[in-house]
């Protein structure tokens, strides 16, 4: 297995650039300026990652080593693919031996060593297709899924938390014993029922706010470590008649 990349502090662009296109709305100009001057955006370009989100995973891994022993990885809500890029590297996944499966209803450009499913994870066929694509039992399930925003904060929160719950249920059904689950959530919003379920199935459950997550963002990540394994199915009750 390849060594996981680390979260280093390198940038490639001078900070403080301004956007001069006069036709842009002030809000759009501010967003673009923030984006192009974001050191993590610059690092992503410099180091060949498709998005700044790569550094969120790398930071979490630096502390918690969730990529260390991963042989197979499933990436939910994977577009544009930066987490899958890392996953392919650490698992030594190749086109002849696929060990990473990624899914999103958004288009994802091909990534060497990654089986990409252009499909909504809520589609009933998605779980089986992911397991088939990754070629075995995954050691890590990643989820960066978030519902398309409506502009109504409470509604957006509920919809994204539902995706987190569905991803957690999937992880419990498919993970290898000792495996890990990492998912996007929101500050102060993880439901008690979800936390209770994860605590029953994993040895450690924690919330993380990596430094590469923008300070104004309400996103956090929910990490469940060391899956306890599934209990053997109980035998069916015998009919006395």
């Amino acid at each position: 297995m390849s060594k996981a990349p680390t979260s280093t502090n390198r940038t490639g662009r001078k900070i403080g650039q301004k956007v001069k296109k006069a036709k842009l709305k002030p809000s759009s100009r501010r967003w673009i300026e923030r984006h192009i001057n974001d050191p993590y955006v610059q690092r992503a370009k410099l180091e060949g990652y498709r998005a700044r989100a790569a550094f969120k995973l790398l930071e979490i891994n630096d502390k918690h080593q969730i990529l260390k022993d991963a042989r197979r990885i499933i990436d939910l809500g994977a577009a544009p693919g930066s987490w899958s890029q890392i996953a392919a590297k650490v698992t030594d996944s190749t086109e002849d031996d696929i060990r990473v499966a990624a899914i999103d209803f958004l288009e994802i450009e091909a990534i060497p060593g990654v089986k990409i499913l252009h499909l909504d994870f809520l589609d009933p066929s998605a779980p089986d297709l992911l397991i088939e694509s990754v070629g075995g039992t995954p050691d890590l399930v990643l989820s960066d899924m978030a519902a398309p925003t409506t502009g109504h904060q409470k509604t957006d929160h509920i919809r994204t938390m539902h995706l987190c719950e569905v991803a957690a249920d999937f992880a419990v059904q498919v993970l290898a014993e000792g495996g890990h689950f990492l998912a996007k959530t929101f500050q102060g919003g993880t439901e008690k029922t979800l936390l209770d379920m994860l605590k029953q199935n994993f040895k450690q459950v924690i919330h993380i706010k990596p430094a590469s997550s923008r300070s104004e963002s309400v996103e956090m990540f929910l990490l469940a470590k060391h899956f306890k394994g599934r209990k053997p199915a109980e035998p069916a009750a015998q009919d006395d008649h």
Side-chain angles (χ1 to χ4, degrees):
M1 182 183 75
S2 297
K3 183 179 179 182
T6 56
S7 168
T8 56
N9 188 22
R10 295 186 294 165
T11 60
R13 181 195 296 264
K14 184 177 179 181
I15 299 296
Q17 295 187 75
K18 299 293 184 180
V19 176
K20 298 181 180 179
K21 293 183 179 179
K23 293 183 179 180
L24 288 175
K25 294 181 180 178
S27 59
S28 298
R29 181 180 293 107
R30 287 193 298 271
W31 184 92
I32 294 172
E33 287 177 353
R34 183 184 69 175
H35 185 74
I36 65 174
N37 292 315
D38 185 324
Y40 290 102
V41 172
Q42 297 172 24
R43 285 178 58 196
K45 292 180 180 179
L46 185 67
E47 299 179 28
Y49 293 119
R50 295 184 177 182
R52 69 190 305 283
F55 300 105
K56 300 173 188 179
L57 177 58
L58 292 175
E59 281 186 56
I60 292 169
N61 181 65
D62 284 348
K63 184 172 182 179
H64 296 281
Q65 298 296 300
I66 59 175
L67 297 169
K68 182 179 179 181
D69 297 316
R71 297 178 299 276
R72 291 182 175 85
I73 298 175
I74 290 177
D75 186 5
L76 311 177
S82 60
W83 284 12
S84 289
Q85 287 179 290
I86 296 168
K89 179 177 177 61
V90 301
T91 59
D92 292 324
S93 187
T94 67
E95 293 301 300
D96 295 327
D97 183 14
I98 295 287
R99 300 183 183 185
V100 178
I103 186 170
D104 206 306
F105 62 85
L106 300 174
E107 292 284 353
I108 304 174
E109 291 185 16
I111 301 170
V114 179
K115 174 64 176 180
I116 295 172
L117 301 179
H118 182 216
L119 183 69
D120 189 332
F121 178 63
L122 298 180
D123 187 291
S125 66
D128 288 342
L129 288 172
L130 284 165
I131 294 299
E132 179 183 347
S133 298
V134 83
T137 304
D139 306 289
L140 178 61
V141 172
L142 303 170
S143 174
D144 200 22
M145 291 192 294
T149 57
T150 64
H152 187 272
Q153 186 174 358
K154 187 174 181 179
T155 299
D156 294 340
H157 177 274
I158 291 171
R159 293 172 67 189
T160 293
M161 286 311 306
H162 173 64
L163 293 175
C164 183
E165 292 168 357
V166 173
D169 183 67
F170 171 74
V172 168
Q173 292 182 45
V174 304
L175 273 173
E177 185 173 350
H180 312 301
F181 169 63
L182 176 67
K184 178 183 287 183
T185 181
F186 289 123
Q187 292 176 352
T190 306
E191 297 293 334
K192 183 178 183 299
T193 52
L194 172 58
L195 288 176
D196 288 345
M197 185 276 280
L198 291 173
K199 288 175 181 177
Q200 289 174 1
N201 288 280
F202 294 83
K203 294 182 180 179
Q204 185 181 16
V205 180
I206 54 178
H207 283 91
I208 304 169
K209 175 78 169 178
S212 51
S213 180
R214 290 189 174 103
S215 58
E216 69 272 20
S217 172
V218 296
E219 77 171 6
M220 292 191 74
F221 291 90
L222 181 61
L223 175 60
K225 298 179 68 178
H226 309 298
F227 180 54
K228 297 176 183 178
R230 285 169 291 281
K231 296 178 181 178
E234 295 183 4
Q238 298 295 318
D239 192 339
D240 292 334
H241 298 288

